[in-house]
Structures are given as structure tokens and as C-alpha cells.
């Protein structure tokens, strides 16, 4: 049986706008303020697309919802061959419209960018950005779901202007 021809959920912009507003409001109510730190390319290799000399010069405050309800995920803390390793991971959800309004450098979150989470004073690297979750509610996409892991400092330049973030470069 075909779908109802009198109801078209994909072309109802008022309902799409309502869901988007409710998503933004719920992230503001139940989320946390984080800092999105975009990566700036210094000397990008045109063949492999890698940049061994990365730098982070800006930080944008934005609200994000933490989807991990039981704490940090990942492999946790363990003693490996080279000493203690901490492999915490976290999943953030950010509203698409708020990202577009707040972040001036990127149009979407990118892998390799950083997120500073002031509550745990942790700096997390974005490993994967899921842009289709939840899957087309009323024909629209309203959030980015970002899977992040604890950032491993590797001689990158951190000059964002926020002392809590820039201290990572000085302490290691």
C-alpha cells in the first residue's frame, strides 16, 4: 500500500522548524558549554592531504549534548608497553544551525578538529562526524553527532587565546 497522498511530511517546513527549535532548546537545557577548536593547515601535503605541522588558533564557545550517560567510553586507563595510557572517548551532539551561526571557519565539523570540555578539563579530538543521526526526522537533519577521543598532544601549536586550552602546550 502506498503512503497517504494527502500528508507530505517532507515538505512541511513549519514542523521541521519546530523540531529544529526543540532540538536546539533541549541541547541548551541539558547540554554543556564546550569550545570547538578548528584545525588550521600550515603545510599540507597535496598528495596525502596530511599536515605534520598543525596549529589551532581559534576557539568558539558552543553548547553540546553529551550522549554518553555512563561516563567516558573507550578502552579506559591501562598500563601498556610505554607506560600508562588513557584512552577515553566521548560523543557530543551539536545542533547544525547553531554550528553554522557560531563557527565561522568551517561549514561542518571536521575530523581532526578539537573540542575542549571544561567540566573534565579534557581536550578531545574529533575522530568521526555522523551527520545523519537521527535519520531525517520530517525530512530534515538537525544535529551533528561527533565521536571524539582524548587528544594526544604531538607538538601542535595551541594559541587559541584561552589560557585553559593553551596550557596543554606548556605542560607537556
Amino acid at each position: 500500500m502506498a503512503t497517504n497522498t494527502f500528508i507530505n511530511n517532507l515538505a512541511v517546513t513549519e514542523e521541521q522548524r519546530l523540531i529544529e527549535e526543540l532540538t536546539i532548546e533541549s541541547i541548551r537545557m541539558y547540554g554543556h558549554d564546550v569550545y570547538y577548536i578548528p584545525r588550521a593547515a600550515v603545510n599540507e601535503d597535496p598528495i596525502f592531504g596530511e599536515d605534520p605541522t598543525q596549529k589551532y588558533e581559534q576557539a568558539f564557545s558552543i553548547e553540546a549534548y553529551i550522549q554518553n550517560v555512563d561516563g567516558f567510553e573507550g578502552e579506559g586507563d591501562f598500563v601498556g608497553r610505554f607506560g600508562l595510557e588513557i584512552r577515553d572517548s566521548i560523543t557530543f551532539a551539536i545542533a547544525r544551525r547553531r554550528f553554522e551561526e557560531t563557527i565561522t571557519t568551517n561549514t561542518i565539523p571536521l575530523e581532526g578538529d578539537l573540542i575542549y570540555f571544561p567540566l573534565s578539563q579534557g581536550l578531545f579530538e574529533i575522530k568521526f562526524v555522523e551527520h545523519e543521526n537521527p535519520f531525517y526526522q520530517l525530512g530534515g537533519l538537525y544535529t551533528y553527532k561527533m565521536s571524539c577521543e582524548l587528544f594526544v598532544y604531538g607538538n601542535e601549536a595551541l594559541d587559541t587565546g584561552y589560557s585553559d586550552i593553551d596550557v596543554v602546550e606548556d605542560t607537556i
Side-chain angles (χ1 to χ4, degrees):
M1 177 172 196
T3 58
N4 190 337
T5 58
F6 298 107
I7 299 174
N8 184 358
N9 288 331
L10 303 179
V12 186
T13 58
E14 293 83 18
E15 281 83 358
Q16 290 174 347
R17 182 72 172 181
L18 175 65
I19 289 178
E20 183 179 44
E21 290 292 334
L22 289 173
T23 302
I24 292 171
E25 186 65 26
S26 65
I27 290 174
R28 285 184 173 167
M29 287 175 60
Y30 301 112
H32 296 276
D33 288 330
V34 299
Y35 290 95
Y36 180 85
I37 307 165
R39 178 178 53 178
V42 176
N43 190 13
E44 187 172 350
D45 185 0
I47 297 173
F48 295 111
E50 297 176 343
D51 187 5
T53 55
Q54 300 173 13
K55 64 180 178 177
Y56 300 91
E57 297 178 321
Q58 296 176 314
F60 301 95
S61 179
I62 191 168
E63 60 277 355
Y65 178 73
I66 301 169
Q67 294 191 331
N68 310 63
V69 294
D70 294 333
F72 293 115
E73 294 179 352
E75 298 176 24
D77 307 345
F78 67 93
V79 178
R81 179 180 293 177
F82 301 106
L84 178 67
E85 293 183 32
I86 301 172
R87 294 188 179 173
D88 290 336
S89 65
I90 192 167
T91 304
F92 294 104
I94 292 179
R96 283 175 171 258
R97 193 175 86 209
R98 287 289 299 137
F99 186 85
E100 293 167 1
E101 292 171 353
T102 306
I103 313 303
T104 59
T105 57
N106 300 353
T107 56
I108 61 170
L110 299 174
E111 288 85 0
D113 291 350
L114 303 179
I115 293 181
Y116 177 70
F117 184 39
L119 188 63
S120 69
Q121 297 178 347
L123 196 57
F124 294 90
E125 182 178 3
I126 299 173
K127 293 295 184 179
F128 180 71
V129 178
E130 177 62 56
H131 64 280
E132 292 179 334
N133 188 3
F135 191 68
Y136 292 99
Q137 294 175 325
L138 290 179
L141 297 169
Y142 310 106
T143 60
Y144 293 112
K145 183 178 175 182
M146 299 175 292
S147 300
C148 305
E149 290 181 1
L150 197 61
F151 179 64
V152 178
Y153 180 73
N155 207 21
E156 292 87 355
L158 290 169
D159 297 317
T160 62
Y162 293 94
S163 60
D164 292 342
I165 299 170
D166 296 341
V167 74
V168 172
E169 184 178 16
D170 300 332
T171 58
I172 296 181

